[in-house]
Amino acid sequence: MIGIDVDPFLIAAAQQDHPDPLWLVGDLAELDLPAQGITDGFDAIVCVGNVMPFLAPSTRVTVLDRFRTHLRPGGRVAVGFGARRNYTFDEFFADVEAAGLTAAVVLESWDLRPFTTASDFVVAVLTP
């Protein structure tokens, strides 16, 4: 397991609380794990905690594309974030498509409730 965040303070806290995973300070828009000697792709990438809306709008497609390129064949990306964070769900789904991904499953919550037009949270399972 590998965790990545741009904030060294958050990485230090994660390392203290959970010492077993590999924690890296890095910008998701520049994610290049093979350049760091990590050559195996991932079966799953999980992006939670409203990460996507906190990204600079100009990097959102790039981050989704970086996720895609780090997947093994058959791998999945799970992304979850709430509404009203200056990133609409329609914008997100357009970015997903621009990054060469498909929303295979779309839910309103991590507990598998169906997504509707009234949903204020999205969980999307993305495939290449």
Side-chain angles (χ1 to χ4, degrees), residues 31-40 66 69-70:
L31 186 63
D32 185 359
L33 294 176
Q36 298 183 46
I38 302 166
T39 57
D40 289 338
R66 299 309 305 148
T69 63
H70 284 83

Side-chain angles (χ1 to χ4, degrees), residues 18-19 33 43 47 50 61 68 74 81 87 94 105-106 114-115 127:
H18 306 282
L33 294 176
D43 292 320
C47 181
N50 294 306
V61 172
R68 181 185 53 76
F81 66 93
Y87 187 36
V105 178
V106 181
F115 185 81
T127 59

Side-chain angles (χ1 to χ4, degrees), residues 19 21 34 43 49 51 56 58 63 69 71 78 100 104 109-110:
D43 292 320
V51 170
S58 63
V63 168
T69 63
L71 288 174
S109 65
W110 293 105

Side-chain angles (χ1 to χ4, degrees), residues 18-66:
H18 306 282
D20 290 335
L22 174 61
W23 298 102
L24 302 172
V25 175
D27 184 337
L28 292 175
E30 298 172 3
L31 186 63
D32 185 359
L33 294 176
Q36 298 183 46
I38 302 166
T39 57
D40 289 338
F42 297 96
D43 292 320
I45 295 173
V46 181
C47 181
V48 298
N50 294 306
V51 170
M52 292 303 299
F54 286 127
L55 296 171
S58 63
T59 67
R60 291 173 178 154
V61 172
T62 301
V63 168
L64 290 165
D65 179 65
R66 299 309 305 148

Side-chain angles (χ1 to χ4, degrees), residues 64 71 75-79 92-93 96 101-105 124-128:
L64 290 165
L71 288 174
R76 304 284 187 263
V77 178
V79 177
F92 168 68
F93 291 119
V96 165
L101 294 163
T102 300
V105 178
V125 178
L126 312 175
T127 59

